[in-house]
């Protein structure tokens, strides 16, 4: 059992999605995701000034969705981070740049079709 989304954005373990978002948070300069509210920390997500990343980092990993407009914001934010992402993380992440690109492409596909990206 793991996390799947529509539009092929993510397929993998919940723990891999969390690990991926921890790396995204760190790479973007927002510190450790585990220090934020909802992840056993006290930091407010208001400190995450990038709206696309705030949506991604503060989203449930088990259900919910991004609207088409939110998908575009998330994709744009992740695209900005792509040059800073390098390395192979093994397991369900593999190459972090490729995994991020897959998520971007899924978001952009949902956006182009004016559909929600649904977390299943």
């Amino acid at each position: 059992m793991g996390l799947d989304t529509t539009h092929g954005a993510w397929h993998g373990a919940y723990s891999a999605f969390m690990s991926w978002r921890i790396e995204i948070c760190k790479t973007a300069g927002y510190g450790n995701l585990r220090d934020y509210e909802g992840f056993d920390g006290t930091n407010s997500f208001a400190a995450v000034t990038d709206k696309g990343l705030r949506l991604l980092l503060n989203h449930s990993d088990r259900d919910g969705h991004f609207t088409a407009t939110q998908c575009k914001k998330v994709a744009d934010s992740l695209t900005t981070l792509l040059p800073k992402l390098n390395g192979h993380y093994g397991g369900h992440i593999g190459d972090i740049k490729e995994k991020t690109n897959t998520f971007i492409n899924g978001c952009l596909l949902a956006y182009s079709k004016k559909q929600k990206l649904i977390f299943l």
Side-chain angles (χ1 to χ4, degrees):
M1 187 95 191
L3 173 64
D4 285 305
T5 68
T6 58
H7 303 89
W10 187 274
H11 173 75
Y14 292 117
S15 60
F17 187 66
M18 181 65 179
S19 295
W20 176 69
R21 290 190 301 168
I22 287 170
E23 189 62 29
I24 294 297
C25 190
K26 182 178 83 175
T27 300
Y30 294 113
N32 189 335
L33 183 59
R34 293 191 186 280
D35 292 336
Y36 286 85
E37 294 170 344
F39 296 96
D40 297 328
T42 58
N43 293 352
S44 169
F45 276 101
V48 179
T49 56
D50 182 295
K51 292 179 183 178
L53 292 181
R54 187 182 320 140
L55 286 165
L56 174 65
L57 298 174
N58 193 27
H59 196 276
S60 170
D61 63 358
R62 289 189 170 85
D63 57 13
H65 67 272
F66 292 146
T67 66
T69 301
Q70 289 172 329
C71 283
K72 178 72 166 114
K73 287 179 184 176
V74 171
D76 289 349
S77 296
L78 289 173
T79 298
T80 301
L81 284 182
L82 270 180
K84 297 178 182 180
L85 295 170
N86 289 303
H88 195 276
Y89 287 74
H92 288 247
I93 296 177
D95 183 291
I96 193 163
K97 189 176 270 190
E98 286 180 19
K99 194 67 166 181
T100 303
N101 211 23
T102 298
F103 200 87
I104 291 167
N105 290 337
C107 285
L108 291 176
L109 179 60
Y111 175 73
S112 72
K113 293 182 173 194
K114 297 179 180 162
Q115 297 174 340
K116 296 176 183 176
L117 183 119
I118 301 171
F119 287 66
L120 306 167

